Amino acid sequence: MKSDSDGPSQAQDHDHQHEAVPSDMTLRVKALESLLVEKGLVDPAALDTLVDAYENKIGPRNGARVVARAWVDPTYTQRLLTDATAAIGELGYGGRGGAHMVVVENTPKLHNLVVCTLCSCYPWPVLGLPPV
């Protein structure tokens, strides 16, 4: 019988990386996706398009771009305060959940607090997926 001290350690015998086991949620998502694709109910390309949209095109960085533009462009700020939907649309953000945008301005004498109840008016185009 060979002991650990008789040769290379187990770590030295491995020259490849082990992948972490996916989480239960990841496994469930993969199983559901496979089943839906197998039954012809979902097109994998359509899923890829949706995932890409929410990873790269919809989300809080869009809202940050709107705010940054307002900070450096006073005429944009005025358009934003007058017609937020149109001004935000100028940057390419809109659609479902962004059809009736409202922007309020904080001033030295007035500070606004917006409390979102995550209803159907949640502004997905500029904030991304609502928190769970």
Side-chain angles (χ1 to χ4, degrees):
M1 183 172 197
K2 194 173 186 181
S3 73
D4 286 341
S5 61
D6 291 339
S9 72
Q10 192 173 19
Q12 291 171 334
D13 286 340
H14 280 88
D15 60 354
H16 62 276
Q17 297 278 335
H18 288 266
E19 290 188 26
V21 176
S23 69
D24 287 345
M25 179 65 73
T26 300
L27 291 173
R28 276 192 285 177
V29 168
K30 288 179 183 258
L32 282 170
E33 179 182 350
S34 295
L35 186 61
L36 291 169
V37 168
E38 181 182 309
K39 293 193 175 281
L41 298 171
V42 172
D43 175 9
L47 282 179
D48 291 343
T49 299
L50 283 171
V51 168
D52 177 62
Y54 281 98
E55 284 183 344
N56 301 303
K57 298 176 182 142
I58 299 169
R61 67 184 86 99
N62 296 353
R65 287 185 187 113
V66 171
V67 171
R69 172 81 179 269
W71 283 345
V72 298
D73 183 345
T75 60
Y76 181 76
T77 302
Q78 285 310 306
R79 291 195 308 277
L80 193 60
L81 293 168
T82 303
D83 185 350
T85 304
I88 291 168
E90 291 175 25
L91 299 180
Y93 312 131
R96 187 173 182 210
H100 304 287
M101 301 295 285
V102 175
V103 171
V104 294
E105 180 179 36
N106 288 337
T107 68
K109 293 185 178 192
L110 174 68
H111 289 268
N112 297 281
L113 173 66
V114 178
V115 178
C116 182
T117 59
L118 298 178
C119 66
S120 61
C121 68
Y122 184 80
W124 292 45
V126 293
L127 293 181
L129 293 171
V132 293

